[in-house]
Amino acid sequence: MAGRPAGGVMGDASSARRTIAGRLIVVVGPSGAGKDTLMSYAAQHLKERPEVVFVRRVITRDGGSGGEDHDAVSDAAFRRMSQSGGFAVWWEAHGLCYGIPIETRHQIDLGHVVVANGSRAALPHFSAAFPAMTVINVTARPEVLATRLESRGRETRDEILRRLQRSSPQLVGPYELLTIDNSGSIEEAGQAMVDAVTRYLPAFSCR
């Protein structure tokens, strides 16, 4: 949104640093890495685990535009939600606004493991809001990324390769960092995603 900062956190830092029962897992990765596919795989395989929650993001994008299942809102509606404390975290990227509903904090307070689709550039906002946080960085080999991006038909292969050669944001912060290589089969990387999420569930869970 014009005239607004690139993102934000709702609430003061002292309240965010209270004792936390659950954990937030933020999934990030470059275009073509397949993070949406792996999150869908994990959500399907963990649908019988009510203590695992996959966040439905609020995005200023048409709900029928494809991609992830999200709550589509106008710029004005997003602004009202942000100003009224409706988001735990929000940020801007590629001309769109993204919000993580404030209810996410309550789910974590209840001891749930909450999985959110995030952005590498927005990780400082996430870590300020959620002290108990893990980042899963989904990657793939450059040639795999290039092939996937080329299939979308938005850029030439040369343009894609030049973009991939540019440096990616360094993922350094007060959070645990896990990396999943999604260069191979969806089943292999998808199971790695499931394992990464379930490692934070209580050992005594009988489900």
Side-chain angles (χ1 to χ4, degrees), residues 28-124:
V28 301
S31 296
K35 65 173 182 171
D36 290 352
T37 300
L38 296 190
M39 289 183 68
S40 295
Y41 183 100
Q44 179 64 27
H45 282 72
L46 296 170
K47 62 183 179 181
E48 302 300 326
R49 303 295 296 263
E51 65 272 45
V52 179
V53 178
F54 286 80
V55 175
R56 183 182 174 94
R57 297 195 294 183
V58 178
I59 308 176
T60 55
R61 179 173 61 197
D62 185 352
S65 61
E68 70 177 280
D69 191 18
H70 65 279
D71 289 335
V73 299
S74 65
D75 286 349
F78 191 97
R79 185 179 301 108
R80 288 193 297 270
M81 294 176 71
S82 175
Q83 292 173 346
S84 64
F87 300 129
V89 177
W90 67 269
W91 69 98
E92 295 181 42
H94 310 297
L96 298 173
C97 294
Y98 298 81
I100 302 298
I102 193 68
E103 292 79 13
T104 302
R105 283 187 176 178
H106 178 61
Q107 293 164 336
I108 292 174
D109 286 344
L110 291 175
H112 295 160
V113 175
V114 178
V115 185
N117 192 338
S119 164
R120 291 172 291 178
L123 286 177

Side-chain angles (χ1 to χ4, degrees), residues 45-207:
H45 282 72
L46 296 170
K47 62 183 179 181
E48 302 300 326
R49 303 295 296 263
E51 65 272 45
V52 179
V53 178
F54 286 80
V55 175
R56 183 182 174 94
R57 297 195 294 183
V58 178
I59 308 176
T60 55
R61 179 173 61 197
D62 185 352
S65 61
E68 70 177 280
D69 191 18
H70 65 279
D71 289 335
V73 299
S74 65
D75 286 349
F78 191 97
R79 185 179 301 108
R80 288 193 297 270
M81 294 176 71
S82 175
Q83 292 173 346
S84 64
F87 300 129
V89 177
W90 67 269
W91 69 98
E92 295 181 42
H94 310 297
L96 298 173
C97 294
Y98 298 81
I100 302 298
I102 193 68
E103 292 79 13
T104 302
R105 283 187 176 178
H106 178 61
Q107 293 164 336
I108 292 174
D109 286 344
L110 291 175
H112 295 160
V113 175
V114 178
V115 185
N117 192 338
S119 164
R120 291 172 291 178
L123 286 177
H125 300 308
F126 276 99
S127 62
F130 299 101
M133 188 179 96
T134 295
V135 174
I136 296 180
N137 183 35
V138 179
T139 66
R141 295 191 303 273
E143 64 271 22
V144 174
L145 292 176
T147 298
R148 291 173 181 170
L149 292 173
E150 189 176 17
S151 69
R152 299 178 182 180
R154 301 171 187 170
E155 300 171 281
T156 67
R157 190 171 184 86
D158 286 343
E159 289 172 336
I160 292 168
L161 291 174
R162 283 196 298 270
R163 178 154 66 88
L164 292 177
Q165 288 173 356
R166 294 196 293 266
S167 60
S168 298
Q170 293 296 312
L171 303 185
V172 178
Y175 43 75
E176 182 177 10
L177 177 63
L178 305 176
T179 298
I180 294 177
D181 188 330
N182 189 27
S183 300
S185 70
I186 293 299
E187 291 74 20
E188 182 179 0
Q191 187 57 52
M193 176 72 75
V194 171
D195 293 343
V197 172
T198 55
R199 67 183 289 185
Y200 297 105
L201 295 176
F204 55 79
S205 175
C206 62
R207 285 184 171 269

